[in-house]
């Protein structure tokens, strides 16, 4: 009985140690496998962004002409692609106005009639946003527009 118990304990210990060694060797294998598999994965990951970057590089900067006459902007909708660098050339033809797009920290100077300002920012997120004139009351009077960033 005692002998049997000892043997049983020995077998259990052997299994635990053997199992531990097996797990350790498994870990080593996994560690060895990761670097081997990793370059393949990195290569795949690198390959797919390249065409995207190349496609975006072709039209990476977009110039947008915006004008205001009275309490409205022309155009009142601007559409760009995500990742594009946007140059908004804002020309004010009448009164005192500015052009503001909060979500991209884009803001022109406050312009007098006949003045022009260029605002440059990167459209780094998709969605529909609102640009507006921050002179009190002007936004509420309709001096605003939609800034749309597509994928
Ligand atoms: Cu205004």
């Amino acid at each position: 009985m005692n002998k049997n118990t000892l043997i049983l304990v020995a077998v259990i210990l052997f299994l635990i140690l053997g199992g531990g060694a097996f797990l350790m060797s498994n870990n080593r294998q996994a560690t060895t496998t990761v670097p081997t598999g990793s370059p393949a994965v990195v290569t795949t990951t690198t390959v797919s962004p390249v065409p995207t970057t190349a496609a975006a590089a072709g039209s990476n900067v977009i110039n947008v002409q915006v004008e205001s006459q009275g309490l409205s902007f022309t155009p009142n909708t601007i559409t760009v692609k995500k990742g594009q660098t946007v140059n908004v050339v804002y020309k004010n033809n009448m009164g005192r106005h500015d052009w503001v797009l909060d979500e991209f920290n884009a803001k022109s100077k406050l312009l007098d009639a006949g003045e022009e300002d260029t605002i440059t920012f990167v459209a780094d997120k998709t969605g529909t946003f609102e640009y507006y004139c921050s002179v009190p009351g002007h936004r509420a009077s309709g001096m605003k527009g939609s800034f749309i960033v597509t994928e």
Side-chain angles (χ1 to χ4, degrees):
M1 208 48 159
N2 270 348
K3 208 174 185 179
N4 280 345
T5 310
L6 274 175
I7 289 168
L8 192 66
V9 168
V11 168
I12 288 168
L13 276 175
F14 176 80
L15 284 176
I16 290 170
L17 291 174
F22 176 74
L23 283 177
M24 279 174 72
S25 80
N26 236 16
N27 278 348
R28 270 194 216 104
Q29 258 188 346
T31 316
T32 322
T33 311
V34 167
T36 319
S38 203
V41 172
V42 167
T43 309
T44 318
T45 317
T46 311
V47 165
S48 62
V50 163
T52 315
T53 311
S59 53
N60 220 21
V61 179
I62 184 164
N63 297 306
V64 183
Q65 201 83 32
V66 178
E67 295 197 22
S68 64
Q69 189 102 37
L71 295 177
S72 65
F73 287 115
T74 305
N76 61 10
T77 301
I78 299 169
T79 305
V80 304
K81 286 203 181 301
K82 188 187 175 188
Q84 281 186 316
T85 297
V86 184
N87 288 319
V88 171
V89 182
Y90 169 46
K91 187 172 187 236
N92 173 31
N93 293 308
M94 192 197 260
R96 258 197 142 200
H97 307 283
D98 60 6
W99 187 92
V100 182
L101 182 57
D102 290 327
E103 290 81 1
F104 298 90
N105 291 315
K107 193 182 198 306
S108 78
K109 286 179 268 186
L110 186 59
L111 302 179
D112 282 312
E115 291 185 327
E116 199 176 272
D117 195 14
T118 301
I119 310 102
T120 301
F121 59 96
V122 176
D124 57 1
K125 54 196 162 206
T126 59
T128 299
F129 311 94
E130 192 174 82
Y131 56 87
Y132 61 94
C133 171
S134 74
V135 173
H138 288 197
R139 186 183 195 174
S141 301
M143 197 166 188
K144 60 188 180 182
S146 295
F147 187 80
I148 301 164
V149 184
T150 60
E151 198 63 61

